[in-house]
Amino acid sequence: MTTLPAGLELRPLHIPSSIDDADAADFREMVRLRNLVYAEISGHDDSAMPADELLPLYQPQPDMKRFAWIAVFHGDVVGRVGLDFPQEEGARTGFWLIELRRSAWGHGIGRAAFAEIERVAREQGRSVLQTWAEHPAAEGPHLAAPTGFGSIPEDHAARFLAASGCTLEQIVRVSALPLAGARPHLETLLAEAEAAASGYRIVQWTLPTPDEFVDAFAWMKSRMVTDAPSADLEFDEEVWDAARLRRYEAGYLDAGRHMLVTAAQHVDTGELAAFNELVIGKDRTAATSQEDTLVVSTHRGHRLGLLVKCAGLLAWHDIAPDSPRVLTYNAEENRPMLSINERIGFAPISYEGVWKKVLA
């Protein structure tokens, strides 16, 4: 077992059946801590989620084995720790997080938590650990990504990760689009995309996915880990079928979150060629998240990325008219997708570093 600093408990996180259950106190406290940490890092609440919306994402799934702890220091919950293992055959990766209040820095909590992550990863037969960390803009020395695209400040998180034996592999740009007044520009871009996408049509749905599109959508979701730029990171190829897609959707539906899927369909073959997801929680005045976007490789070159993004954003005006902005995440080397986002009006607000450690 990992040796812990005096006064520290890494308490395994109990996952309740309902957020109102008597045994849900630790989960509610974990979510409160999560939201506080994200606000400390970013300076805004756009990433906050209520506990009842986050709980469905923590329910056990056959596709992912999850370990989670809360860090309790002298009786106060000061952090959360997580470790996820994909369950594909032959998987060797683990995805982890350590998030601490600033007031808890400097007590060895992060080092102890990472030692426990390494111990569990080895126990589970995993050899590659990867994590995402937001690095707010700051003056001073920066670390450049080995891809040649982007850099992050050499801040507290970067120093901790480097000291833990992790290497910076990729920079992810976090961008935001203000929605007020965006419609005229989006309409102009959509007309341009439609002219270039002759032979394709837009199809849209809110979850659950209509049966006629389930297999095609599941296949496109499986390509997200293989077709997106991933630098020298490692991802186990995922297998998606109808059952896995329905489990994925349940994480949104059970939470009362709303997802709009906008897809491009090839008219002659009926194939789905591209898709985009927009998501908002039960609070329709909160920020919107633009989640996965993919253009299938055999259908590239027809402005389908611009097509599905603009069509989705225009429809979103009617779904969540009071949402102030849309947030999205893209690898800095993903110039085709960044170019689309920039034309639409997305601007960078922060950056994430993606870090990797190969266990000896």
Side-chain angles (χ1 to χ4, degrees):
M1 295 296 291
T2 302
T3 301
L4 303 181
L8 175 65
E9 177 191 4
L10 292 179
R11 183 189 302 166
L13 178 65
H14 173 71
I15 309 303
S17 299
S18 167
I19 207 62
D20 298 318
D21 287 353
D23 61 354
D26 274 1
F27 190 87
R28 291 194 298 267
E29 186 65 8
M30 180 276 291
V31 178
R32 186 189 69 83
L33 185 284
R34 169 197 181 273
N35 294 339
L36 285 171
V37 168
Y38 286 176
E40 283 186 346
I41 294 171
S42 67
H44 59 73
D45 293 323
D46 285 348
S47 298
M49 286 182 67
D52 62 336
E53 292 187 23
L54 197 60
L55 179 58
L57 301 179
Y58 274 76
Q59 297 303 324
Q61 297 287 345
D63 317 302
M64 191 74 70
K65 187 173 185 179
R66 167 167 285 170
F67 293 81
W69 302 262
I70 54 173
V72 184
F73 192 51
H74 296 294
D76 294 327
V77 176
V78 298
R80 69 173 189 149
V81 182
L83 181 56
D84 292 344
F85 297 123
Q87 293 300 289
E88 274 69 34
E89 184 176 354
R92 59 194 296 262
T93 58
F95 301 93
W96 62 277
L97 63 83
I98 298 172
E99 295 171 353
L100 302 177
R101 294 293 309 269
R102 283 199 180 104
S103 58
W105 292 358
H107 298 284
I109 299 171
R111 291 193 300 274
F114 192 66
E116 181 68 0
I117 284 170
E118 287 193 324
R119 184 191 69 79
V120 174
R122 288 189 171 94
E123 187 179 78
Q124 296 292 316
R126 303 304 171 105
S127 56
V128 179
L129 292 173
Q130 295 171 150
T131 193
W132 283 254
E134 185 170 351
H135 301 269
E139 301 294 331
H142 274 57
L143 297 173
T147 60
F149 294 89
S151 67
I152 55 165
E154 198 171 343
D155 57 13
H156 176 86
R159 292 191 296 272
F160 169 78
L161 288 158
S164 299
C166 301
T167 57
L168 178 65
E169 300 294 341
Q170 186 182 61
I171 306 298
V172 173
R173 181 190 299 188
V174 186
S175 304
L177 170 71
L179 288 173
R183 181 182 287 275
H185 183 54
L186 290 169
E187 289 173 340
T188 299
L189 291 178
L190 179 61
E192 174 190 318
E194 288 175 333
S198 176
Y200 296 86
R201 64 181 167 219
I202 287 291
V203 291
Q204 291 180 307
W205 64 86
T206 56
L207 302 188
T209 298
D211 289 343
E212 64 181 300
F213 297 130
V214 164
D215 290 339
F217 188 37
W219 183 82
M220 287 197 297
K221 292 292 288 184
S222 76
R223 308 318 299 164
M224 286 302 302
V225 299
T226 58
D227 291 8
S230 57
D232 198 31
L233 299 165
E234 296 189 33
F235 295 94
D236 302 298
E237 186 165 355
E238 295 177 352
V239 177
W240 283 65
D241 55 14
R244 181 166 183 170
L245 182 66
R246 293 307 191 200
R247 291 193 296 270
Y248 165 77
E249 294 180 341
Y252 294 89
L253 293 169
D254 293 350
R257 293 173 65 77
H258 187 94
M259 176 187 285
L260 172 70
V261 180
T262 300
Q265 185 180 40
H266 189 240
V267 175
D268 288 344
T269 64
E271 292 180 357
L272 295 187
F275 78 94
N276 170 258
E277 299 170 335
L278 292 172
V279 177
I280 197 167
K282 288 181 287 189
D283 179 3
R284 300 295 198 260
T285 67
T288 294
S289 176
Q290 182 172 257
E291 301 197 349
D292 288 348
T293 300
L294 177 75
V295 179
V296 176
S297 59
T298 53
H299 291 277
R300 290 174 183 166
H302 302 281
R303 305 283 183 89
L304 298 184
L306 185 64
L307 182 75
V308 296
K309 284 176 178 277
C310 290
L313 288 166
L314 283 167
W316 200 248
H317 280 280
D318 297 321
I319 292 170
D322 297 320
S323 179
R325 61 194 151 271
V326 180
L327 305 180
T328 193
Y329 299 73
N330 300 97
E332 272 293 302
E333 67 267 32
N334 191 354
R335 179 36 55 188
M337 201 61 73
L338 284 174
S339 294
I340 293 171
N341 287 343
E342 290 164 357
R343 289 200 66 198
I344 289 171
F346 282 94
I349 58 172
S350 64
Y351 294 88
E352 290 184 343
V354 193
W355 300 75
K356 170 183 171 181
K357 181 172 184 178
V358 178
L359 300 181

